[in-house]
Amino acid sequence: MTADVGTGANTRIWSHPDLGLDALVDATGSVRLGRPDQNWAGLVPLVEVTATGHGRMWSGERFIETAIGDRLTYRAHETVQDGGRERTTIRLADPATGLAAEVTLESSSGTGFLRSQVRLVNEGSTPLRLESVSTLTLGGIADADGGLDSLTLHWADNDWLAECRWRQAAFRDQVVPLSRSAHGHEGRGCFERYSQGSWSTGRHLPLGALTDREGRAWLWQIESSAGWRFETGEREGATYVALFGPDDAHHQWNHTLGPGEGFTTVPAVLVRTETGGLDAAFGELTDYRRGIRRDHPDRRALPVIYNDYMNTLMGDPTTEKLMPLIEAAGAAGAEVFVIDAGWYDDDAQGWWDAVGAWEPALNRFPGGIQRVLDAIRQHGMTPGLWLEPEVVGVRSPLARTLPPEAFFRRGGLRVTEHGRHHLDLRHPAARAHLDEVVDRLVGEWGVGYLKLDYNINSGPGTENGTESAGAGLLGHHRAHLDWMNSLLDRHPRLVLENCGSGGLRMDYAQLAVAQLQSTSDQQDPLRYPPIAAAAATAATPEQAAVWAYPQPDQSLDEIAFTLTSALLGRVHLSGFLNLMSDEQFDLVRSAISVYKDIRPEISGAHPFWPLGLPAWEDTWIVHGLRSQDSTYLAVWRREYRESGGETVPSRHGQNEPVYDQCTLTLPHLRGAPVQTTVLHPATADAAEWDAANGKLTVSLPRANTAVLLRLSSVSPQ
């Protein structure tokens, strides 16, 4: 995919035909990445850097058009083939500062992704204080002649209990035309999204996209558990995108490079598809995510997980309460049983601000917690425990026995947030403490699953010596990922769930290591479907853990509804299964049986959304998976209203229409004879397939019901 070819005044040093992108060098040595037919002026320097004393050439909110980026010139490039992947390194240098940049572009023939990472090295004689560094810049996505006015911008808001809420707007609604010809300058602003503090997805997902009316899509992902930011805007009449890790303005990040020292940015990936819009782009991104993840047996087995927390014990486990749940979970088909928060709680004042030692509470487990763990194994399940490793409560003895340098500090003071201190895993004492904890839980107790939670936003980070807070946060998170990898090296069958207060650290720095991602703490089953349906935008389906918490006081429709939400991802079963009637329990057990039948296809399937990505208040929500052999559809019909803080079924007025049918267009099956099977619940109404038009009509006559369908092509007689 790489060649040195002259293109007029420019030389092509790299090319990706599947993405339609070239890296070009002009006569001055400047390197830019963009479409081969794009006007050079609309492209952006391959690397943009701001440093103290070296800012931007056009002041404003943008982090492009930097003085250093404009001066960086081509040195050399080299390409290495690694299996099916190609890795090209383009080397640049700034003669004014002595800063050298190595841009690594990774791609694979026949795919539509480009992964980028930048390493800077100070080859000069004086220190250089970095304030922002781009990981990937791309210009010329569209111009006035190529459809700039037809672009749609997509981004995802993210919040506790309200994750993966995708928004869209016309590009021109966010980046308005400014009559550049009248004043000779671009605007000073851009459309941007960025993280804040140590919850990488506490505000937004580190994802964004542009689509056009022809079905083309450009989708990007930044892989950072610390700070990240992206921007898109107009430059010389064309659209550009720039992806960054942490920066000084948004994350209190700066990094001083002494002579000979280096810094490597967080990775980012760009996906481009020619047809199919966002569905096709997310399919490509799903494959890319699967390719960068650490391999693990859980990736293929997808065991069913029961967790005692959500809408059940809620952090109050005891031997007496757990034993009947263990028996019921095993009978329902669960293969992992997780004892969630509270198993260590032996403090009369409460456990929140006293955690850190992670020893079992004697008063909760007469005879020891091992009796409970043994019972889990006896019922054919792997025992799991909840753990919040990065925090130490202010009342924990560890807050006094660990050295001050083992904690986050700012201004010489230890950071305290919501009754907790934050460990800095770059310090050997902090890491040794957590290694001892995990080796005891896993190596001695036989725990095979750890739910790693993270319930505080510690702010911009930690100042270790002269480093900035944002640099400290990035350093800690890189050490945290190294620690997680070391656990799996020592305990290769251990499963790590990345919780992050539900879905507030849902990024692919974490998810390249952890096997699962908790998608939400949402306790209202009627509010969960838009989160569950959109979860595959943030994580691969086989990593996206969704709560299914059926209860004995629920109707069969309500039980089927909450179970449906989890069946195209990873099942996080909960609820008082031991108190259910036989009919209720049989419904739970049948859903788990269905999941076990289809899960071999989930880990290779591509997500899609026949009605588009869901809005928070949508009545009909549909999430699909396309495997090699089948198409699966989860369909929810919701009708509710808010009343006194409670979510209750809506009451339609006399003239308000009630829509009990939903028609879905499935272009990939148009013209094909299809067998439609209702997988769950078995009593649901049937769906009608119109092969000629590729349309499926689903009937759900009752409000707040859901169904899981399988569509399989059948050979004509």
Side-chain angles (χ1 to χ4, degrees):
M1 290 186 286
T2 301
D4 298 282
V5 181
T7 57
N10 303 323
T11 299
R12 183 169 69 235
I13 60 172
W14 176 89
S15 180
H16 193 314
D18 296 303
L19 284 169
L21 295 178
D22 287 348
L24 303 170
V25 184
D26 74 354
T28 70
S30 180
V31 182
R32 305 190 180 192
L33 184 66
R35 291 189 357 244
D37 60 342
Q38 177 61 42
N39 178 16
W40 177 266
L43 304 183
V44 185
L46 186 60
V47 180
E48 296 279 25
V49 180
T50 61
T52 305
H54 305 269
R56 291 161 289 185
M57 301 168 63
W58 178 241
S59 189
E61 298 300 313
R62 305 177 180 206
F63 282 18
I64 64 166
E65 298 175 320
T66 63
I68 292 178
D70 188 63
R71 295 195 302 258
L72 284 169
T73 54
Y74 174 77
R75 270 185 170 175
H77 73 281
E78 60 191 39
T79 299
V80 176
Q81 300 288 341
D82 182 10
R85 292 201 174 189
E86 178 182 277
R87 187 177 297 108
T88 297
T89 300
I90 301 174
R91 305 181 192 281
L92 312 170
D94 172 22
T97 62
L99 184 67
E102 295 180 353
V103 184
T104 300
L105 303 177
E106 186 176 351
S107 55
S108 183
S109 179
T111 65
F113 79 85
L114 173 65
R115 190 177 198 244
S116 179
Q117 198 164 17
V118 177
R119 178 165 175 78
L120 300 180
V121 177
N122 184 358
E123 296 180 353
S125 58
T126 59
L128 188 64
R129 185 175 182 269
L130 306 173
E131 295 180 353
S132 69
V133 186
S134 67
T135 288
L136 178 62
T137 59
L138 175 66
I141 289 179
D143 54 28
D145 297 327
L148 186 149
D149 292 335
S150 76
L151 289 177
T152 298
L153 179 62
H154 307 262
W155 71 96
D157 295 339
N158 209 64
D159 196 1
W160 186 57
L161 309 182
E163 295 82 1
C164 304
R165 299 186 335 274
W166 280 85
R167 312 284 193 183
Q168 69 177 51
F171 180 79
R172 276 305 192 199
D173 286 347
Q174 302 294 322
V175 182
V176 298
L178 298 175
S179 301
R180 185 184 189 281
S181 60
H183 43 69
H185 285 290
E186 300 287 359
R188 299 185 186 274
C190 59
F191 179 88
E192 65 176 0
R193 288 293 181 266
Y194 53 89
S195 65
Q196 185 179 50
S198 60
W199 278 332
S200 60
T201 57
R203 296 161 57 96
H204 310 285
L205 295 181
L207 302 164
L210 289 165
T211 58
D212 67 14
R213 297 190 190 112
E214 304 304 315
R216 288 181 285 262
W218 296 261
L219 172 64
W220 55 87
Q221 167 182 285
I222 305 172
E223 296 160 17
S224 174
S225 295
W228 60 266
R229 175 181 175 272
F230 70 75
E231 67 174 77
T232 182
E234 184 177 0
R235 171 173 159 68
E236 298 288 346
T239 308
Y240 76 90
V241 171
L243 312 181
F244 300 83
D247 64 67
D248 190 40
H250 301 88
H251 310 101
Q252 298 184 32
W253 178 90
N254 60 72
H255 187 95
T256 299
L257 284 184
E261 294 180 343
F263 170 75
T264 302
T265 67
V266 302
V269 64
L270 173 77
V271 165
R272 181 182 184 272
T273 52
E274 189 66 23
T275 59
L278 276 183
D279 282 358
F282 274 114
E284 192 74 48
L285 184 61
T286 299
D287 286 342
Y288 162 80
R289 288 167 168 172
R290 287 169 175 153
I292 65 170
R293 282 162 41 197
R294 180 181 176 124
D295 196 18
H296 190 273
D298 181 82
R299 292 180 63 167
R300 296 170 291 279
L302 308 190
V304 175
I305 300 149
Y306 182 95
N307 183 302
D308 68 29
Y309 185 81
M310 192 59 69
N311 292 352
T312 309
L313 299 188
M314 299 298 291
D316 187 26
T318 65
T319 299
E320 182 181 7
K321 294 177 181 178
L322 286 168
M323 287 302 190
L325 292 177
I326 292 169
E327 182 178 359
E335 294 151 307
V336 176
F337 189 102
V338 179
I339 305 172
D340 208 280
W343 60 269
Y344 41 79
D345 178 17
D346 215 358
D347 193 305
Q349 300 181 54
W351 58 264
W352 182 264
D353 59 356
V355 296
W358 309 112
E359 296 283 357
L362 298 179
N363 64 336
R364 291 184 172 275
F365 305 106
I369 196 172
Q370 196 65 54
R371 178 187 167 202
V372 179
L373 301 178
D374 288 343
I376 293 171
R377 282 185 283 266
Q378 289 163 6
H379 283 85
M381 296 178 287
T382 298
L385 289 175
W386 180 95
L387 195 67
E388 195 168 358
E390 293 164 82
V391 301
V392 170
V394 296
R395 293 193 299 110
S396 170
L398 285 162
R400 296 178 293 278
T401 58
L402 288 174
E405 297 80 12
F407 296 94
F408 275 27
R409 294 171 297 157
R410 291 200 294 274
L413 301 175
R414 188 180 297 185
V415 172
T416 304
E417 176 69 11
H418 199 179
R420 274 100 175 272
H421 301 309
H422 196 300
L423 291 173
D424 186 340
L425 286 183
R426 295 173 296 177
H427 195 280
R431 183 155 174 165
H433 156 63
L434 291 184
D435 282 344
E436 183 279 326
V437 168
V438 174
D439 290 346
R440 170 166 44 87
L441 302 185
V442 178
E444 297 178 21
W445 296 7
V447 169
Y449 184 109
L450 290 177
K451 176 178 178 175
L452 302 182
D453 213 341
Y454 186 72
N455 286 307
I456 64 169
N457 187 332
S458 66
T462 179
E463 299 162 351
N464 186 8
T466 60
E467 74 177 354
S468 66
L473 182 63
L474 181 59
H476 160 76
H477 277 306
R478 285 175 165 169
H480 178 230
L481 296 174
D482 182 72
W483 174 72
M484 290 171 64
N485 273 302
S486 74
L487 298 185
L488 296 174
D489 289 341
R490 296 200 306 278
H491 308 288
R493 300 197 67 84
L494 175 65
V495 176
L496 299 178
E497 176 193 334
N498 180 44
C499 182
S501 201
L504 301 186
R505 202 160 66 174
M506 191 158 40
D507 61 76
Y508 262 85
Q510 298 281 330
L511 287 175
V513 182
Q515 294 91 340
L516 286 94
Q517 172 65 55
S518 179
T519 56
S520 184
D521 284 343
Q522 177 56 252
Q523 292 180 247
D524 183 347
L526 293 181
R527 287 294 187 189
Y528 215 138
I531 302 170
T537 65
T540 63
E542 65 271 22
Q543 287 179 286
V546 175
W547 289 103
Y549 28 56
Q551 300 293 354
D553 61 351
Q554 291 177 341
S555 68
L556 295 179
D557 277 350
E558 290 170 327
I559 290 173
F561 189 95
T562 185
L563 289 166
T564 300
S565 296
L567 295 181
L568 291 185
R570 292 298 295 274
V571 177
H572 261 183
L573 187 63
S574 196
F576 290 103
L577 307 183
N578 57 308
L579 302 179
M580 287 185 165
S581 68
D582 290 345
E583 187 178 21
Q584 291 173 318
F585 191 79
D586 285 345
L587 181 56
V588 174
R589 189 162 47 193
S590 69
I592 299 304
S593 178
V594 165
Y595 179 76
K596 290 180 178 180
D597 286 341
I598 69 174
R599 64 184 173 185
E601 297 182 71
I602 291 176
S603 58
H606 288 164
F608 71 104
W609 297 268
L611 297 180
L613 289 168
W616 190 244
E617 302 290 346
D618 279 355
T619 298
W620 287 90
I621 294 173
V622 182
H623 168 223
L625 288 183
R626 289 178 59 182
S627 74
Q628 185 174 357
D629 300 321
S630 303
T631 294
Y632 296 94
L633 292 170
V635 183
W636 298 264
R637 176 189 168 193
R638 304 184 302 165
E639 295 175 22
Y640 57 86
R641 60 185 173 86
E642 297 289 345
S643 175
E646 297 293 328
T647 304
V648 297
S650 62
R651 300 287 184 253
H652 290 277
Q654 183 175 358
N655 298 319
E656 185 179 353
V658 178
Y659 300 102
D660 58 8
Q661 289 186 337
C662 179
T663 300
L664 313 175
T665 301
L666 305 175
H668 68 286
L669 294 176
R670 183 178 289 122
V674 166
Q675 178 181 354
T676 303
T677 306
V678 177
L679 298 180
H680 167 80
T683 56
D685 292 86
E688 182 178 347
W689 173 242
D690 176 359
N693 295 301
K695 293 183 181 294
L696 180 74
T697 300
V698 182
S699 298
L700 293 177
R702 298 185 300 280
N704 302 318
T705 52
V707 64
L708 177 67
L709 303 171
R710 177 170 57 204
L711 283 70
S712 304
S713 296
V714 295
S715 300
Q717 297 297 323

